[in-house]
Amino acid sequence: MSAPTASVFVKCSCGHLHWGRYGAAGLLLVDPARGVLLQRRAWWVHHGRTWALPGGAIEAGETAVTAAAREAFEEASVPTDAFRAVSASVVDHGDWSYTTVLALADGAEARVANTESAEVRWVDPDDVPGYRLHRDFAAAWPALRDRVGQELVLVVDAANVVGSRPDGWWRDRHGAAERLRDQLAKLAEAGVPDPADAAITWWPRVVLVVEGQAKHVESVPGVEVVAADTDGDSKIVEVVAEQTARVLVATADRELKGRVEALGASILGPGTLRSQLDEL
């Protein structure tokens, strides 16, 4: 018997028909210079002639990110290496869900690539409500608009996080920092939940601030390692002050927390971070 196809309509708990046995996903592609990429759906598809995001049904075994990227390529010819996914939000209807993957473009070009698309267009985010939007996209847009162009930077106080668990780290501080770095690289790839909204996942840029015997730990893909020459706390404050994105600082140091919160950063406790790392 062949596997069930993903391309079917599903009636959700709200009583609406949605496309995709395993849910659906779309790509909200943002270019600071051009706006957001919208797709006008062909007349013959579900909710035809409306504007929404490139997207469609999630296939069996796919992640939402993979599905959104595949659909954007199939419908708007956007290559997967032309953007970086920074967050995802889920609208859960019980028996069906839709995941919006927000991504930052890196010179991405787009064009109509198949018969499901009538037109693709870069649109100023403030002009989006003036378009004839797909019903569900129109409902989701106000919350999505607040995150357009946002990304998350996770700044990690290496000494504080490593020291939060008595696992013998003091015998090899350099090695302990490297192990933390490697775990953070996996976390950057897997994503972290938004502290204020469990429906949102972020793929953060991670900055690991090291000091003392860990000063010579090197960066790896997904984790930038910054060495403090003397005062680790002051270096963390410096790193936070340089950011234009939303910042989350992993530390339990009370004085440091006050200094970075004054700069607009939020705090992630070392225990919470460790729990997330342990789940990978």
Side-chain angles (χ1 to χ4, degrees):
M1 181 181 296
S2 59
T5 177
S7 302
V8 297
F9 282 107
V10 175
K11 180 176 285 189
C12 72
S13 56
C14 303
H16 295 147
L17 282 178
H18 302 282
W19 186 245
R21 181 187 300 274
Y22 307 107
L27 186 71
L28 176 52
L29 191 61
V30 182
D31 185 304
R34 295 178 292 178
V36 298
L37 183 66
L38 296 187
Q39 170 209 43
R40 184 163 66 89
R41 302 161 68 86
W43 65 269
W44 57 271
V45 302
H46 197 217
H47 295 284
R49 297 192 175 95
T50 61
W51 291 85
L53 305 177
I58 299 173
E59 301 290 343
E62 277 189 321
T63 66
V65 177
T66 302
R70 173 181 53 75
E71 290 284 346
F73 180 73
E74 292 176 357
E75 298 177 350
S77 196
V78 177
T80 57
D81 60 356
F83 61 86
R84 177 170 61 88
V86 294
S87 67
S89 56
V90 179
V91 176
D92 192 348
H93 289 232
D95 298 328
W96 185 89
S97 64
Y98 187 93
T99 302
T100 301
V101 177
L102 192 151
L104 298 179
D106 184 15
E109 296 299 330
R111 61 176 176 80
V112 171
N114 66 14
T115 58
E116 296 180 23
S117 300
E119 182 180 356
V120 294
R121 182 185 300 180
W122 293 97
V123 177
D124 186 302
D126 292 334
D127 294 338
V128 169
Y131 283 68
R132 183 188 176 195
L133 302 179
H134 183 288
R135 175 196 66 205
D136 295 333
F137 180 54
W141 176 248
L144 293 172
R145 175 65 182 92
D146 291 341
R147 299 209 325 278
V148 165
Q150 281 192 7
E151 58 178 326
L152 180 69
V153 178
L154 173 61
V155 180
V156 180
D157 180 352
N160 193 269
V161 173
V162 167
S164 67
R165 179 176 292 177
D167 57 3
W169 56 266
W170 51 87
R171 290 191 291 270
D172 182 9
R173 297 169 190 259
H174 183 277
E178 284 188 328
R179 290 190 293 274
L180 175 60
R181 176 203 62 190
D182 294 345
Q183 288 181 304
L184 289 168
K186 294 179 181 178
L187 185 70
E189 183 177 355
V192 299
D194 190 298
D197 189 342
I200 299 175
T201 298
W202 294 89
W203 292 280
R205 289 195 292 112
V206 179
V207 181
L208 178 65
V209 179
V210 297
E211 57 183 302
Q213 295 178 24
K215 281 174 56 176
H216 300 294
V217 172
E218 297 182 350
S219 299
V220 297
V223 181
E224 178 187 0
V225 180
V226 175
D229 292 329
T230 54
D231 179 7
D233 286 5
S234 294
K235 190 64 176 181
I236 291 170
V237 172
E238 179 186 325
V239 169
V240 171
E242 293 172 347
Q243 306 304 320
T244 58
R246 179 181 175 188
V247 181
L248 190 61
V249 178
T251 187
D253 185 289
R254 183 174 300 178
E255 181 181 351
L256 177 59
K257 286 164 65 175
R259 294 172 70 183
V260 296
E261 285 177 329
L263 295 171
S266 301
I267 302 299
L268 179 67
T272 301
L273 176 61
R274 285 286 200 176
S275 295
Q276 295 174 1
L277 296 175
D278 290 342
E279 292 175 359
L280 298 175

